[in-house]
């Protein structure tokens, strides 16, 4: 019998390690995009290969921040009002459901909405003002790898390599 704790090693659900662990296995393919690596694993699965032995590993990780636009007071306040409105509607809905006395549901919902918009405006204005022009743009960040290696446990690595070699010999799909 094996005993493990949330703080120890051991295996989690589906045999996954509970703590960050370097991947193991032999490389059976290397791809420049995650989509290509995913396509390779899909091909292995379609070929009845034991994909539970396979791991996709991103190598040469980089954080890519794509600038999506310029920030202005109008954009900041609009975003704050919208996020505050959603939170206010949620809070008003909860108040209306659990404190429904005499048909005040609509009033509680509207009160939550108004207070949410006002607090969203206030917090976004305070945050933008505190930045004092150091970050006048919005962006989206992504963790991207320079390449994606497909690793396989040694017991089936050779069969995986052979299947992926067949995939590489296929002609690329026609594009319209």
């Amino acid at each position: 019998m094996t005993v493990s704790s949330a703080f120890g090693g051991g295996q989690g659900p589906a045999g996954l390690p509970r703590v960050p662990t370097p991947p193991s296995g032999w490389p059976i393919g290397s791809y420049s995009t995650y989509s290509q690596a995913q396509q390779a694993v899909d091909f292995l699965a379609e070929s009845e290969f034991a994909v539970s032995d396979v791991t996709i590993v991103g190598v040469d990780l980089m954080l890519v921040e794509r600038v999506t636009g310029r920030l202005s007071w109008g954009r900041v306040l609009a975003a704050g009002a919208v996020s505050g409105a959603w939170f206010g509607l949620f809070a008003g809905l909860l108040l209306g459901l659990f404190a429904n006395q005499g048909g005040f549901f609509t009033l509680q919902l509207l009160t939550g909405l108004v207070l949410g918009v006002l607090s969203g405006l206030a917090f976004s204005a305070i945050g933008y003002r505190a930045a004092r022009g150091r970050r006048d743009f919005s962006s989206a960040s992504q963790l991207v790898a320079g390449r994606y290696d497909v690793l396989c446990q040694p017991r089936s690595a050779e069969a995986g390599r052979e299947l992926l070699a067949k995939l590489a010999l296929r002609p690329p799909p026609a594009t319209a």
Side-chain angles (χ1 to χ4, degrees):
M1 181 172 132
T2 306
V3 177
S4 63
S5 73
F7 301 106
Q11 301 292 312
L16 298 175
R18 290 186 181 191
V19 295
T21 307
S24 63
W26 293 351
I28 61 172
S30 188
Y31 303 92
S32 58
T33 67
Y34 179 76
S35 174
Q36 292 169 332
Q38 192 176 27
Q39 181 185 10
V41 175
D42 283 341
F43 179 77
L44 292 172
E46 291 166 3
S47 302
E48 306 286 325
F49 186 79
V51 290
S52 59
D53 285 349
V54 174
T55 305
I56 298 175
V57 179
V59 180
D60 297 330
L61 296 180
M62 59 189 112
L63 179 66
V64 178
E65 183 177 13
R66 292 185 171 85
V67 176
T68 58
R70 186 176 187 280
L71 284 182
S72 64
W73 275 106
R75 284 184 135 197
V76 168
L77 294 177
V82 169
S83 67
W86 280 114
F87 183 75
L89 278 174
F90 178 69
L93 180 68
L94 289 178
L95 285 173
L97 288 175
F98 294 113
N100 194 4
Q101 298 173 357
F104 290 114
F105 178 77
T106 306
L107 179 63
Q108 289 170 336
L109 197 63
L110 288 174
T111 301
L113 175 65
V114 169
L115 290 176
V117 167
L118 291 175
S119 62
L121 285 170
F123 284 120
S124 63
I126 290 168
Y128 187 61
R129 178 71 179 134
R132 292 193 182 121
R134 285 179 298 216
R135 187 175 167 93
D136 281 341
F137 62 91
S138 58
S139 64
S141 295
Q142 234 180 353
L143 194 60
V144 181
R147 75 172 194 275
Y148 297 87
D149 291 342
V150 176
L151 305 182
C152 184
Q153 293 304 313
R155 64 180 163 261
S156 48
E158 196 56 42
R161 264 193 214 110
E162 290 173 13
L163 283 170
L164 292 182
K166 290 178 185 175
L167 175 63
L169 293 175
R170 285 172 132 183
T175 55

